[in-house]
Amino acid sequence: MQTIIKGACPHDCPDTCALALTVENGRVIKVQGRADHPSTHGALCTKVSRYAERTYHAERVLQPLKRISAKHEAPRFEAVTWGAALADIASRLSNIAQRDPQAILPYSYAGTMGLLQGEAMAGRFFNRLGASQLDRTICASAGAAALTATYGHKLGMHLPFFAESRLILIWGSNSIASNLHFWTYANQAKRAGAKLICIDPRKTETADKCHQHIALMPGTDGALALGLMQQLIVHDWLDDAYLREHVDGWEGAGGLRERALAWPPERVAEVCGISADEVRDLARDYAQTAPAAIRLNYGMQRVRGGGNAVRLIALLPCLTGAWRHRAGGLLLSSSGWFAPFKNSDLERPELRASRSSRTINMSTIGDDLLRPAGPEFGPQIAALIVYNSNPVAVAPESPKVVRGFQRADLFTVVLEHFMTDTADLADYVLPATTQMEHLDVHTSYGHTDVLINEQAVAPLGEAKPNTQIFRELAAAMGFTDACFADSDEQLARQAFSKDIDFDALRAQGWQSLPLAEAPFANGGFLTANGRAQCGDADHLANYESVASSPALAARFPLAMISPPARNFLNSSFVNVKSLRDIEGEPLVEIHAADAAARGLADGAMVRIFNDRGSYPCRARVSARARPGVVNGLGVWWRKLGVAGSNVNEVTHQRLTDMGRAPSFYDCLVEIEAWAGASAE
């Protein structure tokens, strides 16, 4: 007998799809998108449609494992009981906490976007413990800070109305690969006569389907936005009434208008590596087509000036009055719409009481694990609890991350599905459930529906939900607070305010937020005074560029971005063989002119290098790379890459202008032929 279970995709993707899981004899046999959910409309990406393959993978970790090898040796583990593992972990954490609980650090991100299996019980545990807090910055915090400074929160237009737009700028987004359901609406608009323009250093699969591709240099998006503003001003294409009534910081000495006038098309062209006519034509299209919409994504904010660039682009709809239309405006993230509906006390911050607590930035974990105790830093990190993340693969400047995790005196516990690069360096690996084996509730950052994920099957082996692992660890630590007894259903019922009816959510599988169709048609931004804020937004050159560091650029003349491989999602799915077979092997895309200048043929083994490290991979001579830029497709697990490495060998840990985020795409390199490890 078959049953259909309501699910939700847990991954770090704006689509947050509603799933229909077909279960037969206690096993999921099919994963489909729900046709009756408006934004999922029955379609799933290749990755999630194979989610059952991931859950039933032969290499699932299904029992607690204890390390029996040194951390600089090949990893060896032995199976232990849950009781023995939890008792030892609790004893070691208690000993550290007696000295200073801030020496214990949680490390997690968006391995699941669920509110329960993310931070609900984990947050309670670490608050009660008094551990260091983690600044979760690795993906989107520069853009988030920029939107908050400009609009008052992470807000934007509603996904379905892109289908009605007459012009769509797809800016820094490979939507076909990373935002499939937005692309469905964009394609509807295209069939109805809308013009689609892709702005991206890489000629992506999305760029292939657009009417125009503008291949600017990485980190120059803010300059392009200022150039568009300059053209809007000089041609009198502004909506003066909207600016006057709903925007602060535009006019006057030192205002954004004055700064924008300093960016004529010729200057923009020189900085961005495009033509002046591309700037003029783009400004004309944007000003003279209504409704015009911008789908911005997070790749472009992973540079030094990423926050300023997002802020400048986010102001463009204010200059033209595009917000007056429900099919006009901008969408980077819709997650702020959920804020009034979420329970801000779900993680019980009061458990921390009056204890001081430092915050460690997850993006600088390489440096911080190697940092000694000191008056400014505080205690050396002595214990690390990793869940929903794989920092050894995904954190920048991975040679330092690896050295930090290899510290013999660092106690590391990893909650995982598989033996990832990070799990290989753990003292204990605890088996966690996948999305089909537990209950969860989800918000989204690409649409405005709350979703529920029902448990479809019993946990495999001895796997346990994150919530249960932290409950049991709290008990082993002697924490008797009543909140640690809350069941997953109780947590789910606590996750939202009374405006989200949990029983109705459970019955349908999702619930839409009650929001206006054109949220800023009459202003009403969520800033203190209800007006969009220009602030002092301006273009900032990359840390590593000809403009800011000419000597470095002379040694390492190629800019490198590291967008995700189409069939991976961050480091998830890399070990799913059917998906890895599609990707083939780690690749760097290089333009024919850059390859010829280095004597490199298509298919050659090369090494990408700079002063931080060296990454060997296969070269693909491709029109997807523009001159002067190489695309190191990621993020492969290090142990599945060449010579145990991945693209983060060469990225750095410097942070963005806003939001304290990493600058992954702000990276200069050189490339040469690679003959193998013996040549290093």
mmCIF file of all heavy atoms in Angstrom, residues 76-115:
data_model
loop_
_atom_site.group_PDB
_atom_site.id
_atom_site.type_symbol
_atom_site.label_atom_id
_atom_site.label_comp_id
_atom_site.label_asym_id
_atom_site.label_seq_id
_atom_site.Cartn_x
_atom_site.Cartn_y
_atom_site.Cartn_z
ATOM 1 N N ARG A 76 40.240 6.931 11.115
ATOM 2 C CA ARG A 76 39.730 5.615 11.504
ATOM 3 C C ARG A 76 38.810 5.808 12.705
ATOM 4 O O ARG A 76 39.135 6.564 13.633
ATOM 5 C CB ARG A 76 40.877 4.657 11.858
ATOM 6 C CG ARG A 76 41.697 4.212 10.663
ATOM 7 C CD ARG A 76 42.798 3.218 11.044
ATOM 8 N NE ARG A 76 43.838 3.859 11.830
ATOM 9 C CZ ARG A 76 44.148 3.542 13.083
ATOM 10 N NH1 ARG A 76 43.482 2.572 13.703
ATOM 11 N NH2 ARG A 76 45.114 4.166 13.721
ATOM 12 N N PHE A 77 37.651 5.154 12.666
ATOM 13 C CA PHE A 77 36.645 5.283 13.713
ATOM 14 C C PHE A 77 36.163 3.902 14.138
ATOM 15 O O PHE A 77 36.256 2.938 13.369
ATOM 16 C CB PHE A 77 35.445 6.106 13.210
ATOM 17 C CG PHE A 77 35.744 7.564 12.969
ATOM 18 C CD1 PHE A 77 36.321 7.981 11.771
ATOM 19 C CD2 PHE A 77 35.445 8.511 13.932
ATOM 20 C CE1 PHE A 77 36.595 9.316 11.542
ATOM 21 C CE2 PHE A 77 35.715 9.855 13.703
ATOM 22 C CZ PHE A 77 36.290 10.257 12.508
ATOM 23 N N GLU A 78 35.630 3.838 15.348
ATOM 24 C CA GLU A 78 34.972 2.621 15.808
ATOM 25 C C GLU A 78 33.559 2.956 16.244
ATOM 26 O O GLU A 78 33.279 4.061 16.721
ATOM 27 C CB GLU A 78 35.738 1.984 16.969
ATOM 28 C CG GLU A 78 35.772 2.829 18.236
ATOM 29 C CD GLU A 78 36.520 2.131 19.370
ATOM 30 O OE1 GLU A 78 37.119 1.068 19.129
ATOM 31 O OE2 GLU A 78 36.506 2.676 20.503
ATOM 32 N N ALA A 79 32.649 2.015 16.045
ATOM 33 C CA ALA A 79 31.262 2.214 16.458
ATOM 34 C C ALA A 79 31.166 2.123 17.978
ATOM 35 O O ALA A 79 31.814 1.288 18.616
ATOM 36 C CB ALA A 79 30.370 1.171 15.806
ATOM 37 N N VAL A 80 30.355 3.018 18.558
ATOM 38 C CA VAL A 80 30.091 3.007 20.000
ATOM 39 C C VAL A 80 28.591 3.170 20.210
ATOM 40 O O VAL A 80 27.847 3.501 19.280
ATOM 41 C CB VAL A 80 30.858 4.135 20.732
ATOM 42 C CG1 VAL A 80 32.358 3.914 20.636
ATOM 43 C CG2 VAL A 80 30.486 5.510 20.157
ATOM 44 N N THR A 81 28.132 2.952 21.414
ATOM 45 C CA THR A 81 26.711 3.141 21.712
ATOM 46 C C THR A 81 26.413 4.627 21.896
ATOM 47 O O THR A 81 27.308 5.430 22.204
ATOM 48 C CB THR A 81 26.320 2.395 22.988
ATOM 49 O OG1 THR A 81 26.989 3.003 24.106
ATOM 50 C CG2 THR A 81 26.675 0.917 22.901
ATOM 51 N N TRP A 82 25.136 4.969 21.739
ATOM 52 C CA TRP A 82 24.721 6.338 22.010
ATOM 53 C C TRP A 82 25.031 6.713 23.457
ATOM 54 O O TRP A 82 25.513 7.817 23.738
ATOM 55 C CB TRP A 82 23.230 6.505 21.743
ATOM 56 C CG TRP A 82 22.896 6.915 20.342
ATOM 57 C CD1 TRP A 82 22.386 6.138 19.356
ATOM 58 C CD2 TRP A 82 23.066 8.228 19.764
ATOM 59 N NE1 TRP A 82 22.208 6.871 18.204
ATOM 60 C CE2 TRP A 82 22.617 8.157 18.423
ATOM 61 C CE3 TRP A 82 23.544 9.434 20.252
ATOM 62 C CZ2 TRP A 82 22.643 9.256 17.572
ATOM 63 C CZ3 TRP A 82 23.576 10.543 19.401
ATOM 64 C CH2 TRP A 82 23.130 10.456 18.078
ATOM 65 N N GLY A 83 24.755 5.814 24.373
ATOM 66 C CA GLY A 83 24.994 6.114 25.781
ATOM 67 C C GLY A 83 26.445 6.437 26.062
ATOM 68 O O GLY A 83 26.761 7.418 26.771
ATOM 69 N N ALA A 84 27.359 5.621 25.522
ATOM 70 C CA ALA A 84 28.780 5.861 25.746
ATOM 71 C C ALA A 84 29.231 7.166 25.092
ATOM 72 O O ALA A 84 29.999 7.943 25.683
ATOM 73 C CB ALA A 84 29.585 4.682 25.202
ATOM 74 N N ALA A 85 28.749 7.427 23.863
ATOM 75 C CA ALA A 85 29.140 8.649 23.162
ATOM 76 C C ALA A 85 28.669 9.891 23.916
ATOM 77 O O ALA A 85 29.448 10.823 24.161
ATOM 78 C CB ALA A 85 28.573 8.635 21.742
ATOM 79 N N LEU A 86 27.395 9.903 24.307
ATOM 80 C CA LEU A 86 26.853 11.085 24.976
ATOM 81 C C LEU A 86 27.506 11.301 26.329
ATOM 82 O O LEU A 86 27.767 12.453 26.739
ATOM 83 C CB LEU A 86 25.342 10.956 25.118
ATOM 84 C CG LEU A 86 24.548 11.034 23.799
ATOM 85 C CD1 LEU A 86 23.085 10.685 24.034
ATOM 86 C CD2 LEU A 86 24.666 12.428 23.181
ATOM 87 N N ALA A 87 27.792 10.232 27.060
ATOM 88 C CA ALA A 87 28.422 10.374 28.375
ATOM 89 C C ALA A 87 29.813 10.980 28.241
ATOM 90 O O ALA A 87 30.192 11.882 29.005
ATOM 91 C CB ALA A 87 28.493 9.010 29.069
ATOM 92 N N ASP A 88 30.587 10.512 27.254
ATOM 93 C CA ASP A 88 31.942 11.026 27.071
ATOM 94 C C ASP A 88 31.907 12.471 26.578
ATOM 95 O O ASP A 88 32.667 13.328 27.050
ATOM 96 C CB ASP A 88 32.706 10.137 26.096
ATOM 97 C CG ASP A 88 34.196 10.453 26.063
ATOM 98 O OD1 ASP A 88 34.716 10.987 27.060
ATOM 99 O OD2 ASP A 88 34.838 10.163 25.028
ATOM 100 N N ILE A 89 31.029 12.757 25.609
ATOM 101 C CA ILE A 89 30.919 14.126 25.095
ATOM 102 C C ILE A 89 30.515 15.074 26.221
ATOM 103 O O ILE A 89 31.111 16.152 26.398
ATOM 104 C CB ILE A 89 29.902 14.189 23.940
ATOM 105 C CG1 ILE A 89 30.423 13.401 22.732
ATOM 106 C CG2 ILE A 89 29.621 15.636 23.536
ATOM 107 C CD1 ILE A 89 29.374 13.168 21.653
ATOM 108 N N ALA A 90 29.521 14.697 27.014
ATOM 109 C CA ALA A 90 29.058 15.550 28.105
ATOM 110 C C ALA A 90 30.163 15.777 29.129
ATOM 111 O O ALA A 90 30.340 16.898 29.642
ATOM 112 C CB ALA A 90 27.836 14.929 28.773
ATOM 113 N N SER A 91 30.923 14.730 29.447
ATOM 114 C CA SER A 91 32.003 14.872 30.418
ATOM 115 C C SER A 91 33.059 15.851 29.925
ATOM 116 O O SER A 91 33.515 16.736 30.672
ATOM 117 C CB SER A 91 32.627 13.499 30.687
ATOM 118 O OG SER A 91 33.767 13.615 31.511
ATOM 119 N N ARG A 92 33.427 15.718 28.658
ATOM 120 C CA ARG A 92 34.479 16.583 28.120
ATOM 121 C C ARG A 92 33.999 18.021 27.974
ATOM 122 O O ARG A 92 34.744 18.967 28.263
ATOM 123 C CB ARG A 92 34.983 16.010 26.794
ATOM 124 C CG ARG A 92 35.620 14.631 26.974
ATOM 125 C CD ARG A 92 36.181 14.052 25.698
ATOM 126 N NE ARG A 92 37.336 14.804 25.214
ATOM 127 C CZ ARG A 92 38.149 14.377 24.247
ATOM 128 N NH1 ARG A 92 37.925 13.187 23.682
ATOM 129 N NH2 ARG A 92 39.172 15.095 23.847
ATOM 130 N N LEU A 93 32.748 18.223 27.547
ATOM 131 C CA LEU A 93 32.218 19.581 27.455
ATOM 132 C C LEU A 93 32.087 20.204 28.835
ATOM 133 O O LEU A 93 32.356 21.398 29.024
ATOM 134 C CB LEU A 93 30.869 19.582 26.742
ATOM 135 C CG LEU A 93 30.860 19.218 25.254
ATOM 136 C CD1 LEU A 93 29.437 19.289 24.696
ATOM 137 C CD2 LEU A 93 31.779 20.121 24.440
ATOM 138 N N SER A 94 31.672 19.409 29.843
ATOM 139 C CA SER A 94 31.525 19.933 31.203
ATOM 140 C C SER A 94 32.864 20.399 31.757
ATOM 141 O O SER A 94 32.951 21.445 32.409
ATOM 142 C CB SER A 94 30.916 18.869 32.114
ATOM 143 O OG SER A 94 29.599 18.565 31.724
ATOM 144 N N ASN A 95 33.913 19.629 31.497
ATOM 145 C CA ASN A 95 35.241 20.019 31.976
ATOM 146 C C ASN A 95 35.698 21.327 31.345
ATOM 147 O O ASN A 95 36.277 22.185 32.021
ATOM 148 C CB ASN A 95 36.253 18.906 31.679
ATOM 149 C CG ASN A 95 36.048 17.688 32.549
ATOM 150 O OD1 ASN A 95 35.473 17.784 33.641
ATOM 151 N ND2 ASN A 95 36.510 16.530 32.082
ATOM 152 N N ILE A 96 35.433 21.478 30.045
ATOM 153 C CA ILE A 96 35.798 22.731 29.384
ATOM 154 C C ILE A 96 34.957 23.882 29.918
ATOM 155 O O ILE A 96 35.465 24.977 30.199
ATOM 156 C CB ILE A 96 35.634 22.592 27.859
ATOM 157 C CG1 ILE A 96 36.611 21.555 27.306
ATOM 158 C CG2 ILE A 96 35.824 23.945 27.155
ATOM 159 C CD1 ILE A 96 36.346 21.156 25.866
ATOM 160 N N ALA A 97 33.654 23.641 30.080
ATOM 161 C CA ALA A 97 32.749 24.698 30.541
ATOM 162 C C ALA A 97 33.086 25.168 31.943
ATOM 163 O O ALA A 97 32.852 26.334 32.286
ATOM 164 C CB ALA A 97 31.311 24.211 30.471
ATOM 165 N N GLN A 98 33.606 24.287 32.774
ATOM 166 C CA GLN A 98 33.998 24.701 34.123
ATOM 167 C C GLN A 98 35.095 25.747 34.076
ATOM 168 O O GLN A 98 35.159 26.635 34.935
ATOM 169 C CB GLN A 98 34.450 23.482 34.934
ATOM 170 C CG GLN A 98 33.302 22.580 35.368
ATOM 171 C CD GLN A 98 33.783 21.339 36.083
ATOM 172 O OE1 GLN A 98 34.971 21.197 36.390
ATOM 173 N NE2 GLN A 98 32.865 20.406 36.346
ATOM 174 N N ARG A 99 35.975 25.646 33.075
ATOM 175 C CA ARG A 99 37.024 26.659 32.910
ATOM 176 C C ARG A 99 36.441 27.915 32.275
ATOM 177 O O ARG A 99 36.616 29.014 32.778
ATOM 178 C CB ARG A 99 38.170 26.105 32.052
ATOM 179 C CG ARG A 99 38.830 24.855 32.623
ATOM 180 C CD ARG A 99 40.146 24.547 31.920
ATOM 181 N NE ARG A 99 39.998 24.362 30.483
ATOM 182 C CZ ARG A 99 39.755 23.188 29.913
ATOM 183 N NH1 ARG A 99 39.598 22.098 30.664
ATOM 184 N NH2 ARG A 99 39.654 23.086 28.591
ATOM 185 N N ASP A 100 35.757 27.754 31.149
ATOM 186 C CA ASP A 100 35.119 28.882 30.464
ATOM 187 C C ASP A 100 34.241 28.321 29.357
ATOM 188 O O ASP A 100 34.765 27.787 28.367
ATOM 189 C CB ASP A 100 36.155 29.843 29.873
ATOM 190 C CG ASP A 100 35.536 31.148 29.392
ATOM 191 O OD1 ASP A 100 34.327 31.158 29.066
ATOM 192 O OD2 ASP A 100 36.250 32.161 29.329
ATOM 193 N N PRO A 101 32.916 28.406 29.480
ATOM 194 C CA PRO A 101 32.048 27.842 28.439
ATOM 195 C C PRO A 101 32.218 28.507 27.084
ATOM 196 O O PRO A 101 31.842 27.935 26.055
ATOM 197 C CB PRO A 101 30.641 28.047 28.994
ATOM 198 C CG PRO A 101 30.766 29.153 29.982
ATOM 199 C CD PRO A 101 32.143 29.018 30.580
ATOM 200 N N GLN A 102 32.791 29.713 27.076
ATOM 201 C CA GLN A 102 33.009 30.382 25.793
ATOM 202 C C GLN A 102 34.094 29.704 24.959
ATOM 203 O O GLN A 102 34.266 30.038 23.784
ATOM 204 C CB GLN A 102 33.383 31.840 26.017
ATOM 205 C CG GLN A 102 32.258 32.664 26.616
ATOM 206 C CD GLN A 102 32.642 34.121 26.754
ATOM 207 O OE1 GLN A 102 32.265 34.944 25.930
ATOM 208 N NE2 GLN A 102 33.409 34.434 27.779
ATOM 209 N N ALA A 103 34.804 28.744 25.552
ATOM 210 C CA ALA A 103 35.768 27.965 24.781
ATOM 211 C C ALA A 103 35.075 26.915 23.908
ATOM 212 O O ALA A 103 35.724 26.235 23.115
ATOM 213 C CB ALA A 103 36.771 27.297 25.717
ATOM 214 N N ILE A 104 33.750 26.778 24.058
ATOM 215 C CA ILE A 104 32.949 25.847 23.255
ATOM 216 C C ILE A 104 32.208 26.649 22.185
ATOM 217 O O ILE A 104 31.590 27.672 22.486
ATOM 218 C CB ILE A 104 31.948 25.085 24.135
ATOM 219 C CG1 ILE A 104 32.700 24.312 25.226
ATOM 220 C CG2 ILE A 104 31.082 24.143 23.294
ATOM 221 C CD1 ILE A 104 31.797 23.746 26.305
ATOM 222 N N LEU A 105 32.273 26.189 20.949
ATOM 223 C CA LEU A 105 31.671 26.925 19.830
ATOM 224 C C LEU A 105 30.754 26.020 19.023
ATOM 225 O O LEU A 105 31.185 24.962 18.555
ATOM 226 C CB LEU A 105 32.774 27.479 18.910
ATOM 227 C CG LEU A 105 32.296 28.217 17.647
ATOM 228 C CD1 LEU A 105 31.618 29.535 18.008
ATOM 229 C CD2 LEU A 105 33.473 28.462 16.693
ATOM 230 N N PRO A 106 29.486 26.405 18.820
ATOM 231 C CA PRO A 106 28.661 25.721 17.816
ATOM 232 C C PRO A 106 29.045 26.208 16.430
ATOM 233 O O PRO A 106 29.415 27.375 16.249
ATOM 234 C CB PRO A 106 27.238 26.164 18.174
ATOM 235 C CG PRO A 106 27.414 27.511 18.799
ATOM 236 C CD PRO A 106 28.756 27.485 19.500
ATOM 237 N N TYR A 107 28.962 25.319 15.445
ATOM 238 C CA TYR A 107 29.216 25.728 14.065
ATOM 239 C C TYR A 107 28.144 25.083 13.200
ATOM 240 O O TYR A 107 28.105 23.869 13.018
ATOM 241 C CB TYR A 107 30.605 25.286 13.589
ATOM 242 C CG TYR A 107 31.057 25.989 12.325
ATOM 243 C CD1 TYR A 107 31.983 27.024 12.385
ATOM 244 C CD2 TYR A 107 30.533 25.646 11.081
ATOM 245 C CE1 TYR A 107 32.389 27.681 11.230
ATOM 246 C CE2 TYR A 107 30.931 26.300 9.933
ATOM 247 C CZ TYR A 107 31.858 27.321 10.001
ATOM 248 O OH TYR A 107 32.250 27.988 8.860
ATOM 249 N N SER A 108 27.239 25.908 12.682
ATOM 250 C CA SER A 108 26.137 25.390 11.869
ATOM 251 C C SER A 108 25.741 26.428 10.843
ATOM 252 O O SER A 108 25.996 27.620 11.004
ATOM 253 C CB SER A 108 24.932 25.045 12.747
ATOM 254 O OG SER A 108 24.380 26.218 13.314
ATOM 255 N N TYR A 109 25.090 25.944 9.786
ATOM 256 C CA TYR A 109 24.504 26.879 8.840
ATOM 257 C C TYR A 109 23.247 26.285 8.250
ATOM 258 O O TYR A 109 22.356 25.866 8.997
ATOM 259 C CB TYR A 109 25.514 27.328 7.773
ATOM 260 C CG TYR A 109 25.044 28.594 7.089
ATOM 261 C CD1 TYR A 109 24.938 29.778 7.819
ATOM 262 C CD2 TYR A 109 24.673 28.606 5.761
ATOM 263 C CE1 TYR A 109 24.475 30.943 7.228
ATOM 264 C CE2 TYR A 109 24.217 29.769 5.158
ATOM 265 C CZ TYR A 109 24.113 30.929 5.894
ATOM 266 O OH TYR A 109 23.654 32.082 5.306
ATOM 267 N N ALA A 110 23.156 26.174 6.950
ATOM 268 C CA ALA A 110 21.891 25.870 6.288
ATOM 269 C C ALA A 110 21.881 24.496 5.659
ATOM 270 O O ALA A 110 21.257 24.298 4.620
ATOM 271 C CB ALA A 110 21.580 26.945 5.245
ATOM 272 N N GLY A 111 22.565 23.524 6.293
ATOM 273 C CA GLY A 111 22.403 22.149 5.844
ATOM 274 C C GLY A 111 20.949 21.734 5.874
ATOM 275 O O GLY A 111 20.505 20.904 5.079
ATOM 276 N N THR A 112 20.199 22.295 6.796
ATOM 277 C CA THR A 112 18.740 22.311 6.725
ATOM 278 C C THR A 112 18.283 23.720 7.053
ATOM 279 O O THR A 112 18.842 24.371 7.936
ATOM 280 C CB THR A 112 18.084 21.305 7.681
ATOM 281 O OG1 THR A 112 16.655 21.490 7.620
ATOM 282 C CG2 THR A 112 18.517 21.512 9.109
ATOM 283 N N MET A 113 17.261 24.188 6.340
ATOM 284 C CA MET A 113 16.676 25.496 6.608
ATOM 285 C C MET A 113 15.522 25.407 7.599
ATOM 286 O O MET A 113 14.869 26.399 7.888
ATOM 287 C CB MET A 113 16.176 26.127 5.307
ATOM 288 C CG MET A 113 17.261 26.350 4.267
ATOM 289 S SD MET A 113 18.437 27.630 4.724
ATOM 290 C CE MET A 113 17.455 29.108 4.407
ATOM 291 N N GLY A 114 15.281 24.195 8.134
ATOM 292 C CA GLY A 114 14.160 24.010 9.045
ATOM 293 C C GLY A 114 14.360 24.707 10.373
ATOM 294 O O GLY A 114 15.478 24.768 10.906
ATOM 295 N N LEU A 115 13.282 25.206 10.935
ATOM 296 C CA LEU A 115 13.364 25.906 12.211
ATOM 297 C C LEU A 115 13.612 24.948 13.367
ATOM 298 O O LEU A 115 14.204 25.330 14.373
ATOM 299 C CB LEU A 115 12.077 26.704 12.457
ATOM 300 C CG LEU A 115 11.726 27.769 11.414
ATOM 301 C CD1 LEU A 115 10.525 28.588 11.877
ATOM 302 C CD2 LEU A 115 12.906 28.673 11.114
#
